[in-house]
Every structure is written in C-alpha cells, then in structure tokens.
C-alpha cells in the first residue's frame, strides 16, 4: 500500500506552471528517485511536501490521511523533513545549538548546556555520525553539515526525508558516507525522496524512480525496470546523442599556454603542462584537488603563486589579472553567480564587462557598439533571452553560463580556462554548451576545461590531466581514457572503495 | 495612449517625479496664501514699492496675494536649500552604488568650508593679505575643493588599504575631520571674504531668486548622470556594487574604483561647502552637523540601494528634493516644528518599503516575460 500519495498536484508561480496535475505514489521505506531537468518541478514538489510551498490544486495523502503542511514546522510535526542544498543552519552557532534550535532545553530561561549536548550527541549517534556537538556549523564541510541536517531530521522523528541534490558538493569520501547512511535509513523504514541530477547515483541507491518534465509527471516505476538512457530520453523528451567532437579531426595549432612549476603554498605545487590552439584539455580531480585554484592562479588571482605561466611565448608577470587579460586569457569561474556575473546588470552590460576599455573613448562607452557586440554574441551562443537588455537574473542557468562565456569571447580571448561549465545547467543546455566549446576549439581557441563530471571530460577533451591533493598525477590521452582509469588516478590508492560506491 | 503612459513609467525616476508632483500639488492646495508687498523696478534700476489709491482716495502701499508654496521666491528658496544636500547626494550615490557608505560628508563639508574660509579671510578686506585681484578667490576655491578631495581620498585609501568596512572608516574620519576643523578655527566663525566671491554666488535673477546654487546642482546632477550611465568608470561602479568578486574576476581594478568613488564623494561635499561659503559669507567648524544622515536619506529615498549596485544620480537628487519639500512643507503648513523629524524619518522608511515593492513587482514581470 502506498505510504505517500500525490494526487493531481498543481502549482503555479507567476508566469510559470511549475507543476501540472502530478500524481504518483511512494512505498514506505523506499528510496524514491525524483529526477528531471532544471525547472522540471522536482524541487518544487519536494518543497511542497516540506511545507515551504503550498499546492494550488490536488491532495497529498500520508499513510492514507490527507495532509496540507502550511509551514516547514507543520511538515516537521507530520514527520516530513527536507535536507537542503543551501545552508539551512546558523553558521555562527554550534552543532548542538543548531540541532536543538526549535526546542532549546532550558531551565527557567537558562540554556541547559549539559542536556543540550547530550541530546545532540544522541541525535548524531542515531545516524552514526561522528561529529563534535560543540563545533560551529560554519567550520564544518558541506558534507558534515548535511549529516547534521539528516541527524536533525531523524532525531525529530521524521518518517519522510526529502534530499535535494545531496551529493552535489561532496567529496568522494563524503559521498560514500552519505550512501551508507541512505541505505541505513531506508532499512529503518524511513522513506526517502532523493532529488538528483546524477543518474549513476540514483541507479546505485534508489528502488523506485519518478521522472518529471516541464512540471508534468512522465513515469514512475521500479528502477530495475528502466535504464539511464531511457531516463534521460524521458527527461528531455528526445534521445541525447553524444557525437564525436569536430575539433579532434583537426590538427592542433601552436602552443598557446605553457605552465612551468606553478605552485602556491597550501593549494598546489609543481604544476607543469601546456595547451595548444584547438585543443580542449580536461582537468579531472576530486573536489579539493586544487584544480580551480590552479586555474585562478593562471588568471593572476593568486598573489602567492610562484612558477611561470607562458602565453603565446611570453611569460606573464605573477599575480596580475591585467597581464593575463592583455595576453588573451579568460576565466569562466566555477561559481557563476558569485564570481562570474553581476546579477543586477543586464546581458549587454555583463557581456561587455571585461571589454569596456575597448568600447570606450575618453571614458565614454559607445553604446551602439556595445549593444551590437552583445547581440552578436547572444546570437552566436544562442542565448535565449527576450533582448540583451534583460536582467541576467531573469535567465535560466544555461543561458547565464552562455553570457558568462560571451564576456570572454567578446574580449577575443585565445586561452579559455573553463571551470565546471555545466554546473547547475539542465541537460538540454549542457549539450549546447558542449557543442559551443567544440566550435570554439575548432576556431583555434586553447581551452582548459575543469569538470567533475567525467563523462563530459571523456566526451569532449583531446587529453585529460588529473590532479590529486594539489599535484598533477597524470595525463591520459583520449584514446586510453575511461571513467575507471581516471577515477583510479583521481582517488589514488583508494580505488576499490570508490568503485564499490558506484556498484 | 496606454502604451505611451506605460513607456513613461518605465523611466526609472518616474515614481519619484510623481511623488514630487503630488507633494507639490498638496502643498499648493493646503498652504493658503500670503500677502506680500509689491515691488517694481523703476526706470533708474532700483527697486521701489508700488502704491495704489484706495477707495478713500489715500495713497497706500499695494500688496499681492500669493500662494505660500507656489511662488517664485519660495521655489527658489526650496531649490537653494535642496542644492547643498543634493550635490552631496550625487557623490554619496556613487559610494552607495559601489556598495559602500560615507558617513563623513558632513565633516568634510565643514573642514573644506573652514579651510577655504581661512584662506579667503586672509585675502579679504580685513585680512593680512588684503588684495583685490582674484588671487584670493582662486586660492580659497582651490583650498576648499582640494581639502575635500584629499579627505575623500583618505577615506578611500584607508578603506582599500586596511580592508575595513567603510562604515567604520568614515565613522572615524567623521569625528577626526570635524575635530581638525575645530582645531583649525578654535571654534570661531570665519568670515569677511573678498566681495567678488560672495557677489558671484549670491547673484540674483529677477526678484530675490538666487540661481547659482541651483545651476551648480543641475550641473553636478548632469555630470553624475552622464558619468554613471555613459562612462565605463560609471559602469564599473555598478558592477562592483552588484558583485565585487565577479568584477575582480572580469579584470576590473576594484580598489581603484573604490578610491575614485570616495574621492568624488569628498569632492561633492567640497562643492557644496564652496556654495555655502559664498552664500552665507562665513563658516564655522560646526557647519554641516548631521548632513551625512540627510544625504544618505536623500540617496535612499531616491532609489539607491544600500546593498549596492542600484541607484541613479537623478534619482538621489529627486530624493533630496522630496526631503526638502517635506521639511519646508512642514513650515508652510504651519505644523509644529517638533514633528518634522518624525515625519521625515517616516518618509525615509516608507520610501524604501515602496521601492522594495516596485522592485518585487518588476522582478515578477521579468519572470513572466522570460518564463
């Protein structure tokens, strides 16, 4: 019998139908995968269940009773909790204080520290998490913080836990820990709704799966009865073809970027490699391996970096963004919203941000040239926007990423350092970005691409460099690269453990 | 018709203009009239009273009935009062848009006034270097503006070099600069400037309408508007206020821009100080006490966002005008002066709430158009 049942759920946001007549049910104690493109409505559905949003139509039945949680607190009381992607805690308070925030043990208004600590420790132990309850939440890694969130959910007696992209910023070890915990929780009869983009994870963990597309329910079934390819085609409604990139068939041009003995204390050391025009060189590694830090140092953002960076035969002076820019280096940073774009400005202004000096005479910006430049790249990169005057905050993740890329193309950068280009981008836009990168390589750009998604590196790159613990540990040519071989290099001796995770 | 109306309302400052019109209409309707003696310019160029003959055949001075708010003198007075705050608010707008704050403008205003005054006093009729050429005026003006710019540079330099929040830095410099002004003048008022300077600033057009502060305000607003909306440097100010890290990642020299905005803010306080020197003919170290709050209030009412990245030069000037209209409206309407602070404080909060509301509505609209 169904434990949790959605009947004709509908939810509208201004101008968008987020959910349209979604109905399916979930068994008690199952781990239910909820998957769909960005904007498919999977997070919205989770948030409705957790009391963050309310339905416009339809009903939710929990164990046969209709529920309608109006606030997260009400959902909690019904036994439903959500583990968020973003910070859900006060970073300035301790683990124990955060765990008991809703119900602080106190005596006549004074906090009972002993009871507080004891209760927190009990909650943490119940999920087998070894975390000191006195540590500040802000000092924990994302993975540990998620464990605390799960402890809070389980500790308050949650029967249903919604996990929204739980593994998106975890290291391999943390992911393994999370998987163990997920299996443990379902064994205890807790029902999990696991929202994720990562298909292999879903297939490893979940028992049932629901696919949403454009707010509509597409399918629900046992995960054993389907396969990743079918799920992807259900998500996007068409087959995703991975073609062999065109740049591979061309002979690479002269060396554009050469790095010799690049090091930065505490971040990475002795990095040497080179990239030729028309190549896409991949940068693989686990989170924290120092890939983004290396790219930022190449771009002159690390004042402590030593070693030499040679662009088109000229050595760049250390720690100078201006010199890197002048030499034609552009960096597409990993965190688009924090480092890449100014959300309060429109597409035109974001596109021209790095190229302003060239559009300016006597301090005066030539608006017409600026506009035509922005329009040129919006067309060229197929940015979907009503006009280049639209605020960047109003665009989808994929289109924002294209504008962030347009900023460097407008500057005619020949060396592009591209960090996680498809993070937070839906499947359709992903393949468009792959195609764009391929086109850019064909035009003779030298591209260094950092990615945590191995299939994307394998599909796109000429060769792949692997970093581990701040060192370059190997270079794998395209022909001999496989997920397994890369994983072995990335994780070092820890290969067996990581492979067992995937199984 | 409707679409044209909508186009007019897409103009960013239309809401502020609407408020000003409504406020003006309100004040005109409720202020009542005042009888003022009538003057005319006689043939030899002097002003003289106009007389009429009343029904008893006696010659009596004539009076005209004027609306207390809507008459040339009052409006000119309003413009003059607004101009000091508005000029500084343009400088403040740059700082606030860049994501900073400058609490020291009132003190910069005072210090620039007294240093300029000391120099001009020395060259004035009673001074040690009494001199009728323009040298004294030139030196006085340069000192006033130079000191103000230097103070702004100091704020910017300390903020950038020490990596301390500008609130703290300018809170400190607010006290320090005010203190320097007191030390420099020993708390005495400094006056007696070369007459040419006062005559210029107090130049009147028609009857009692002094135009120089108004003209300077319009000029500063125009320059600020051009700078922010059309210059690359202005764009960088928005970029830094919107997202400092992304600006740095785009190769913008963040520190240089920050230095610039504080310099401009200081300079704008210097310009206002210069006008007050000419207009009042004297300066004391206590001048401009509390101006920083009026200036910040004007900027905020005018739509500059304290979180940075948003605001316009015209907006903050209109914001200054709104605040000035309300405080002079309180006088005109004969409301107890003691209420004025309460009313102005309420207006500041209401303006920001209204602004948040319209931003929210605009965001909803963009969401609707882009799906």
């Amino acid at each position: 019998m169904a434990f949790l049942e959605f009947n004709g759920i509908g939810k509208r946001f201004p101008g968008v139908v987020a959910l349209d007549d979604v109905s399916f049910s979930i068994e008690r104690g199952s781990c239910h995968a909820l998957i769909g493109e960005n904007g498919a409505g999977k997070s919205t559905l989770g948030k409705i269940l957790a009391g963050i949003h309310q339905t416009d139509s339809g009903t939710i039945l929990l164990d046969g009773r209709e529920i309608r949680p109006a606030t997260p607190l009400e959902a909690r009381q019904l036994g439903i909790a959500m583990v968020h992607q973003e910070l859900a805690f006060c970073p300035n308070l301790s683990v124990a204080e955060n765990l008991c925030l809703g119900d602080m043990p106190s005596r006549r208004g004074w906090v009972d520290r002993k009871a507080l600590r004891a209760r927190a420790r009990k909650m943490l132990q119940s999920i087998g998490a070894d975390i000191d309850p006195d540590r500040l939440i802000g000092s924990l890694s994302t993975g540990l913080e998620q464990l605390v969130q799960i402890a809070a959910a389980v500790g308050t007696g949650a029967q249903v836990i919604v996990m929204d992209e739980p593994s998106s910023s975890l290291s391999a070890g943390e992911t393994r820990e999370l998987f163990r915990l997920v299996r443990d929780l379902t064994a205890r009869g807790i029902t999990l709704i696991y929202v994720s983009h990562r298909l292999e994870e879903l297939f490893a963990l979940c028992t049932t799966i629901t696919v949403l597309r454009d707010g509509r329910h597409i399918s629900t079934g046992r995960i054993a009865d389907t396969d990743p390819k079918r799920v992807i085609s259900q998500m996007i409604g068409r087959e995703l073809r991975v073609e062999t990139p065109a740049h591979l068939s061309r002979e690479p041009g002269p060396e554009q970027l050469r790095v010799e003995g690049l090091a930065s204390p505490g971040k990475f050391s002795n990095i040497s490699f080179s990239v030729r025009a028309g190549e896409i060189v991949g940068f693989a590694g686990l989170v924290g391996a120092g890939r983004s830090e290396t790219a930022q140092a190449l771009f002159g953002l690390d004042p402590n970096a030593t070693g030499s960076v040679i662009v088109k035969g000229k050595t760049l002076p250390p720690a100078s963004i201006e010199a890197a820019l002048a030499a034609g280096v552009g960096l597409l940073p990993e965190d688009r919203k924090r480092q890449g774009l100014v959300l309060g400005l429109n597409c035109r202004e974001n596109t021209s941000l790095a190229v302003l000096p060239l559009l300016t005479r006597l301090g005066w910006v030539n608006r017409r040239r600026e506009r035509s430049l922005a329009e040129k790249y919006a067309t060229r990169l197929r940015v979907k926007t009503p006009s280049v005057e639209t605020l960047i905050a109003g665009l989808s993740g994929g289109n924002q990423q294209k504008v962030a890329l347009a900023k460097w193309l407008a500057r005619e950068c020949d060396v592009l350092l591209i960090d996680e280009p498809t993070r937070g981008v839906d499947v359709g836009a992903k393949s468009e970005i792959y195609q764009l990168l391929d086109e850019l390589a064909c035009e003779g750009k030298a591209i260094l691409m950092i990615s945590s998604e191995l299939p994307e590196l394998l599909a796109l790159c000429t060769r792949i460099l692997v970093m581990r613990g701040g060192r370059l540990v190997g270079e794998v040519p395209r022909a001999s690269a496989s997920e397994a071989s890369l994983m072995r290099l990335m994780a070092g001796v820890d290969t067996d453990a990581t492979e067992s995770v995937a199984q | 018709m409707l679409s044209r109306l909508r186009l007019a309302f897409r103009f960013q400052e239309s809401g502020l203009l609407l408020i000003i019109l409504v406020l003006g209409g309100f004040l005109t309707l409720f202020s009542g009239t005042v009888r003022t003696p009538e003057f005319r310019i006689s043939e030899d160029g002097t002003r003289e009273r106009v007389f009429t003959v009343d029904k008893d055949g006696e010659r009596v001075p004539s009076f005209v009935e004027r609306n207390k708010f809507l008459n040339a003198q009052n409006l000119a007075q309003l413009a003059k009062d607004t101009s000091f705050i508005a000029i500084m608010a343009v400088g403040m707008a740059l700082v606030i848009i860049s994501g900073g704050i400058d609490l020291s403008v009132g003190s910069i205003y005072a210090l620039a006034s007294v240093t300029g005054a000391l120099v001009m006093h020395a060259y004035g009729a009673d001074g040690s270097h009494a001199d009728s050429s323009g040298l004294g005026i030139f030196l006085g003006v340069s000192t006033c503006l130079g000191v103000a710019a230097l103070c702004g540079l100091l704020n910017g330099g300390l903020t950038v070099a020490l990596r301390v929040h500008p609130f703290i830095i300018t809170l400190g410099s607010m006290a320090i600069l005010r203190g320097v002004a007191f030390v420099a003048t020993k708390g005495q008022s400094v006056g007696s400037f070369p007459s040419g300077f006062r005559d210029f600033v107090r130049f009147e057009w028609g009857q009692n309408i002094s135009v120089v502060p108004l003209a300077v305000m319009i000029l500063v607003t125009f320059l600020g508007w051009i700078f922010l909306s059309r210059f690359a440097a202005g764009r960088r100010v928005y970029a830094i206020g919107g997202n400092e890290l992304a600006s740095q990642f785009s190769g913008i020299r963040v520190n240089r821009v920050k230095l610039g905005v504080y310099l401009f803010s200081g300079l704008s306080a210097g310009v206002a100080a210069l006008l007050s020197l000419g207009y009042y003919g004297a300066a004391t170290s206590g001048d401009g006490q509390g101006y920083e709050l009026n200036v910040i209030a004007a900027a905020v009412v005018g739509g500059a966002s304290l979180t940075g990245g948003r605001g316009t030069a015209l907006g903050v000037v209109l914001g200054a005008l709104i605040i000035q209209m309300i405080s002079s409206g309180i006088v005109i309407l004969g409301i107890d002066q003691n209420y004025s602070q309460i009313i102005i404080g309420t207006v500041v909060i209401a303006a920001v709430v209204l602004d948040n509301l319209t931003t929210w509505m605009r965001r909803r609209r963009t969401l609707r158009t882009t799906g």
Side-chain angles (χ1 to χ4, degrees), chain A residues 18-45:
Chain A
L19 291 171
D20 182 12
D21 193 21
V22 171
S23 307
F24 64 95
S25 57
I26 299 174
E27 303 288 311
R28 186 194 284 270
S30 65
C31 179
H32 191 89
L34 193 55
I35 192 167
E37 280 195 299
N38 279 354
K42 51 193 193 310
S43 286
T44 308
L45 192 65

mmCIF file of all heavy atoms in Angstrom, chain A residues 18-45:
data_model
loop_
_atom_site.group_PDB
_atom_site.id
_atom_site.type_symbol
_atom_site.label_atom_id
_atom_site.label_comp_id
_atom_site.label_asym_id
_atom_site.label_seq_id
_atom_site.Cartn_x
_atom_site.Cartn_y
_atom_site.Cartn_z
ATOM 1 N N ALA A 18 4.688 25.423 -12.542
ATOM 2 C CA ALA A 18 5.778 24.609 -12.007
ATOM 3 C C ALA A 18 5.380 23.147 -11.971
ATOM 4 O O ALA A 18 6.177 22.270 -12.275
ATOM 5 C CB ALA A 18 6.165 25.105 -10.622
ATOM 6 N N LEU A 19 4.142 22.882 -11.599
ATOM 7 C CA LEU A 19 3.655 21.509 -11.541
ATOM 8 C C LEU A 19 2.253 21.468 -12.129
ATOM 9 O O LEU A 19 1.440 22.347 -11.855
ATOM 10 C CB LEU A 19 3.605 21.008 -10.085
ATOM 11 C CG LEU A 19 4.956 20.789 -9.404
ATOM 12 C CD1 LEU A 19 4.742 20.526 -7.938
ATOM 13 C CD2 LEU A 19 5.723 19.668 -10.057
ATOM 14 N N ASP A 20 1.991 20.448 -12.927
ATOM 15 C CA ASP A 20 0.712 20.387 -13.608
ATOM 16 C C ASP A 20 0.171 18.966 -13.462
ATOM 17 O O ASP A 20 0.658 18.048 -14.112
ATOM 18 C CB ASP A 20 0.919 20.765 -15.088
ATOM 19 C CG ASP A 20 -0.378 20.778 -15.854
ATOM 20 O OD1 ASP A 20 -1.442 20.726 -15.204
ATOM 21 O OD2 ASP A 20 -0.317 20.831 -17.095
ATOM 22 N N ASP A 21 -0.815 18.802 -12.586
ATOM 23 C CA ASP A 21 -1.521 17.538 -12.444
ATOM 24 C C ASP A 21 -0.557 16.358 -12.251
ATOM 25 O O ASP A 21 -0.572 15.402 -13.014
ATOM 26 C CB ASP A 21 -2.407 17.325 -13.689
ATOM 27 C CG ASP A 21 -3.409 16.209 -13.465
ATOM 28 O OD1 ASP A 21 -3.686 15.899 -12.286
ATOM 29 O OD2 ASP A 21 -3.887 15.648 -14.460
ATOM 30 N N VAL A 22 0.283 16.464 -11.234
ATOM 31 C CA VAL A 22 1.267 15.407 -10.977
ATOM 32 C C VAL A 22 0.691 14.405 -9.986
ATOM 33 O O VAL A 22 0.261 14.784 -8.897
ATOM 34 C CB VAL A 22 2.571 16.009 -10.419
ATOM 35 C CG1 VAL A 22 3.509 14.905 -9.945
ATOM 36 C CG2 VAL A 22 3.252 16.853 -11.478
ATOM 37 N N SER A 23 0.645 13.135 -10.372
ATOM 38 C CA SER A 23 0.139 12.092 -9.479
ATOM 39 C C SER A 23 1.085 10.894 -9.493
ATOM 40 O O SER A 23 1.440 10.409 -10.566
ATOM 41 C CB SER A 23 -1.244 11.598 -9.939
ATOM 42 O OG SER A 23 -2.108 12.689 -10.100
ATOM 43 N N PHE A 24 1.504 10.472 -8.325
ATOM 44 C CA PHE A 24 2.210 9.195 -8.195
ATOM 45 C C PHE A 24 2.271 8.840 -6.717
ATOM 46 O O PHE A 24 1.866 9.641 -5.865
ATOM 47 C CB PHE A 24 3.611 9.239 -8.809
ATOM 48 C CG PHE A 24 4.575 10.202 -8.152
ATOM 49 C CD1 PHE A 24 5.456 9.757 -7.161
ATOM 50 C CD2 PHE A 24 4.602 11.529 -8.515
ATOM 51 C CE1 PHE A 24 6.353 10.639 -6.575
ATOM 52 C CE2 PHE A 24 5.496 12.413 -7.920
ATOM 53 C CZ PHE A 24 6.357 11.964 -6.949
ATOM 54 N N SER A 25 2.726 7.625 -6.420
ATOM 55 C CA SER A 25 2.775 7.249 -5.015
ATOM 56 C C SER A 25 4.096 6.569 -4.687
ATOM 57 O O SER A 25 4.806 6.089 -5.573
ATOM 58 C CB SER A 25 1.597 6.349 -4.660
ATOM 59 O OG SER A 25 1.619 5.232 -5.506
ATOM 60 N N ILE A 26 4.410 6.573 -3.400
ATOM 61 C CA ILE A 26 5.692 6.061 -2.926
ATOM 62 C C ILE A 26 5.433 5.074 -1.791
ATOM 63 O O ILE A 26 4.599 5.326 -0.918
ATOM 64 C CB ILE A 26 6.561 7.226 -2.414
ATOM 65 C CG1 ILE A 26 6.826 8.222 -3.555
ATOM 66 C CG2 ILE A 26 7.871 6.737 -1.828
ATOM 67 C CD1 ILE A 26 7.552 9.465 -3.114
ATOM 68 N N GLU A 27 6.157 3.948 -1.816
ATOM 69 C CA GLU A 27 6.010 2.933 -0.776
ATOM 70 C C GLU A 27 6.777 3.340 0.482
ATOM 71 O O GLU A 27 7.759 4.068 0.410
ATOM 72 C CB GLU A 27 6.605 1.603 -1.273
ATOM 73 C CG GLU A 27 6.019 1.082 -2.557
ATOM 74 C CD GLU A 27 4.612 0.559 -2.374
ATOM 75 O OE1 GLU A 27 4.397 -0.226 -1.431
ATOM 76 O OE2 GLU A 27 3.723 0.947 -3.163
ATOM 77 N N ARG A 28 6.325 2.808 1.617
ATOM 78 C CA ARG A 28 7.043 3.068 2.863
ATOM 79 C C ARG A 28 8.433 2.410 2.823
ATOM 80 O O ARG A 28 8.589 1.307 2.327
ATOM 81 C CB ARG A 28 6.264 2.504 4.042
ATOM 82 C CG ARG A 28 6.884 2.854 5.399
ATOM 83 C CD ARG A 28 6.305 2.015 6.504
ATOM 84 N NE ARG A 28 4.961 2.440 6.892
ATOM 85 C CZ ARG A 28 4.733 3.353 7.840
ATOM 86 N NH1 ARG A 28 5.725 3.899 8.489
ATOM 87 N NH2 ARG A 28 3.504 3.690 8.145
ATOM 88 N N GLY A 29 9.419 3.136 3.312
ATOM 89 C CA GLY A 29 10.758 2.587 3.423
ATOM 90 C C GLY A 29 11.509 2.469 2.109
ATOM 91 O O GLY A 29 12.557 1.849 2.038
ATOM 92 N N SER A 30 10.981 3.091 1.059
ATOM 93 C CA SER A 30 11.712 3.023 -0.202
ATOM 94 C C SER A 30 12.575 4.279 -0.361
ATOM 95 O O SER A 30 12.361 5.279 0.302
ATOM 96 C CB SER A 30 10.731 2.913 -1.374
ATOM 97 O OG SER A 30 9.963 4.091 -1.456
ATOM 98 N N CYS A 31 13.565 4.159 -1.223
ATOM 99 C CA CYS A 31 14.325 5.348 -1.586
ATOM 100 C C CYS A 31 13.868 5.709 -2.990
ATOM 101 O O CYS A 31 14.130 4.995 -3.949
ATOM 102 C CB CYS A 31 15.820 5.045 -1.566
ATOM 103 S SG CYS A 31 16.814 6.456 -2.042
ATOM 104 N N HIS A 32 13.144 6.814 -3.080
ATOM 105 C CA HIS A 32 12.471 7.151 -4.328
ATOM 106 C C HIS A 32 13.225 8.259 -5.051
ATOM 107 O O HIS A 32 13.392 9.350 -4.521
ATOM 108 C CB HIS A 32 11.043 7.588 -4.023
ATOM 109 C CG HIS A 32 10.188 7.703 -5.240
ATOM 110 N ND1 HIS A 32 9.462 6.658 -5.737
ATOM 111 C CD2 HIS A 32 9.955 8.738 -6.069
ATOM 112 C CE1 HIS A 32 8.810 7.043 -6.817
ATOM 113 N NE2 HIS A 32 9.103 8.309 -7.050
ATOM 114 N N ALA A 33 13.674 7.971 -6.251
ATOM 115 C CA ALA A 33 14.407 8.978 -7.024
ATOM 116 C C ALA A 33 13.425 9.923 -7.700
ATOM 117 O O ALA A 33 12.416 9.489 -8.240
ATOM 118 C CB ALA A 33 15.257 8.294 -8.082
ATOM 119 N N LEU A 34 13.732 11.200 -7.626
ATOM 120 C CA LEU A 34 12.905 12.198 -8.303
ATOM 121 C C LEU A 34 13.845 12.924 -9.251
ATOM 122 O O LEU A 34 14.801 13.563 -8.817
ATOM 123 C CB LEU A 34 12.316 13.143 -7.264
ATOM 124 C CG LEU A 34 11.181 14.065 -7.699
ATOM 125 C CD1 LEU A 34 10.058 13.258 -8.305
ATOM 126 C CD2 LEU A 34 10.670 14.848 -6.505
ATOM 127 N N ILE A 35 13.607 12.806 -10.538
ATOM 128 C CA ILE A 35 14.574 13.350 -11.488
ATOM 129 C C ILE A 35 13.874 14.135 -12.577
ATOM 130 O O ILE A 35 12.702 13.910 -12.886
ATOM 131 C CB ILE A 35 15.463 12.212 -12.073
ATOM 132 C CG1 ILE A 35 16.645 12.815 -12.812
ATOM 133 C CG2 ILE A 35 14.646 11.269 -12.949
ATOM 134 C CD1 ILE A 35 17.719 11.814 -13.137
ATOM 135 N N GLY A 36 14.574 15.087 -13.132
ATOM 136 C CA GLY A 36 14.044 15.922 -14.202
ATOM 137 C C GLY A 36 15.037 17.034 -14.468
ATOM 138 O O GLY A 36 15.964 17.245 -13.688
ATOM 139 N N GLU A 37 14.869 17.704 -15.590
ATOM 140 C CA GLU A 37 15.745 18.825 -15.912
ATOM 141 C C GLU A 37 15.537 19.945 -14.908
ATOM 142 O O GLU A 37 14.542 19.956 -14.189
ATOM 143 C CB GLU A 37 15.405 19.360 -17.308
ATOM 144 C CG GLU A 37 15.983 18.563 -18.438
ATOM 145 C CD GLU A 37 15.897 19.357 -19.723
ATOM 146 O OE1 GLU A 37 14.784 19.694 -20.141
ATOM 147 O OE2 GLU A 37 16.947 19.640 -20.287
ATOM 148 N N ASN A 38 16.430 20.935 -14.927
ATOM 149 C CA ASN A 38 16.178 22.132 -14.128
ATOM 150 C C ASN A 38 14.862 22.731 -14.580
ATOM 151 O O ASN A 38 14.635 22.886 -15.768
ATOM 152 C CB ASN A 38 17.291 23.166 -14.341
ATOM 153 C CG ASN A 38 18.507 22.842 -13.511
ATOM 154 O OD1 ASN A 38 18.477 21.913 -12.709
ATOM 155 N ND2 ASN A 38 19.551 23.607 -13.702
ATOM 156 N N GLY A 39 14.023 23.050 -13.614
ATOM 157 C CA GLY A 39 12.741 23.646 -13.982
ATOM 158 C C GLY A 39 11.678 22.604 -14.269
ATOM 159 O O GLY A 39 10.574 22.944 -14.668
ATOM 160 N N ALA A 40 12.005 21.331 -14.070
ATOM 161 C CA ALA A 40 11.009 20.281 -14.304
ATOM 162 C C ALA A 40 10.005 20.228 -13.167
ATOM 163 O O ALA A 40 8.937 19.657 -13.314
ATOM 164 C CB ALA A 40 11.690 18.936 -14.460
ATOM 165 N N GLY A 41 10.370 20.822 -12.024
ATOM 166 C CA GLY A 41 9.435 20.890 -10.905
ATOM 167 C C GLY A 41 9.765 19.944 -9.765
ATOM 168 O O GLY A 41 9.005 19.828 -8.825
ATOM 169 N N LYS A 42 10.942 19.279 -9.824
ATOM 170 C CA LYS A 42 11.238 18.297 -8.790
ATOM 171 C C LYS A 42 11.509 18.957 -7.437
ATOM 172 O O LYS A 42 11.021 18.487 -6.412
ATOM 173 C CB LYS A 42 12.405 17.406 -9.208
ATOM 174 C CG LYS A 42 13.645 18.128 -9.666
ATOM 175 C CD LYS A 42 14.593 17.156 -10.331
ATOM 176 C CE LYS A 42 15.982 17.748 -10.519
ATOM 177 N NZ LYS A 42 16.042 19.075 -11.150
ATOM 178 N N SER A 43 12.253 20.081 -7.462
ATOM 179 C CA SER A 43 12.496 20.776 -6.195
ATOM 180 C C SER A 43 11.207 21.362 -5.653
ATOM 181 O O SER A 43 10.969 21.355 -4.443
ATOM 182 C CB SER A 43 13.519 21.894 -6.388
ATOM 183 O OG SER A 43 14.794 21.343 -6.529
ATOM 184 N N THR A 44 10.357 21.870 -6.557
ATOM 185 C CA THR A 44 9.087 22.448 -6.128
ATOM 186 C C THR A 44 8.240 21.396 -5.422
ATOM 187 O O THR A 44 7.647 21.656 -4.379
ATOM 188 C CB THR A 44 8.315 22.997 -7.346
ATOM 189 O OG1 THR A 44 9.181 23.851 -8.074
ATOM 190 C CG2 THR A 44 7.091 23.754 -6.922
ATOM 191 N N LEU A 45 8.222 20.208 -5.975
ATOM 192 C CA LEU A 45 7.433 19.134 -5.378
ATOM 193 C C LEU A 45 7.960 18.812 -3.974
ATOM 194 O O LEU A 45 7.195 18.671 -3.026
ATOM 195 C CB LEU A 45 7.492 17.897 -6.275
ATOM 196 C CG LEU A 45 6.500 16.800 -5.932
ATOM 197 C CD1 LEU A 45 5.087 17.287 -6.164
ATOM 198 C CD2 LEU A 45 6.770 15.553 -6.753
#
